[in-house]
Amino acid sequence: MEPETYEQLDVPKHLFGECYVYLQDDMKVNVQLYNERATSASIPTRVTCTVAESEIPMRASATPQYKKVLLDNGLTVQVPKHIVEGDKIIVNTIDHSYMSRA
């Protein structure tokens, strides 16, 4: 929806590329139009996601350790071992990597 005119615009998912999995309600996206048709679209580079499933934390060690978690959008991301199910994290949408806790 165009925020100033409230005009609805249909944007095909394929214009977002592989980042369409990060789309969320009320998210602001950039859409380029040509003759009133969407030609490309992009999302923010930082998105907040919720951890849906997490491996059991491993024992403590002096070196940083990472584990895989499943996000609410279906993607799997490597995160520090202290992240648990239900945590909100910020993910880089360009390389699909963990950035920080939200």
Side-chain angles (χ1 to χ4, degrees):
M1 177 185 298
E2 171 62 42
E4 294 177 13
T5 64
Y6 301 106
E7 181 180 339
Q8 294 280 338
L9 176 65
D10 289 326
V11 180
K13 285 184 179 179
H14 76 272
L15 291 180
F16 291 98
E18 62 184 30
C19 291
Y20 76 90
V21 295
Y22 292 109
L23 288 174
Q24 300 171 354
D25 292 337
D26 299 325
M27 175 183 275
K28 290 189 178 194
V29 298
N30 292 321
V31 178
Q32 291 184 345
L33 301 174
Y34 180 74
N35 289 337
E36 297 184 24
R37 296 187 76 194
T39 57
S40 70
S42 62
I43 63 170
T45 56
R46 296 169 46 132
V47 174
T48 301
C49 298
T50 303
V51 176
E53 292 180 20
S54 174
E55 296 176 355
I56 298 171
M58 298 172 275
R59 61 185 176 92
S61 77
T63 59
Q65 294 182 352
Y66 292 89
K67 63 180 181 178
K68 290 183 180 180
V69 296
L70 180 67
L71 302 178
D72 57 348
N73 59 10
L75 287 179
T76 302
V77 177
Q78 291 275 353
V79 299
K81 65 181 183 175
H82 66 276
I83 302 294
V84 295
E85 189 172 321
D87 283 353
K88 292 193 180 293
I89 62 171
I90 298 174
V91 178
N92 182 330
T93 59
I94 295 171
D95 62 4
H96 312 290
S97 64
Y98 167 84
M99 294 181 77
S100 67
R101 273 189 166 160

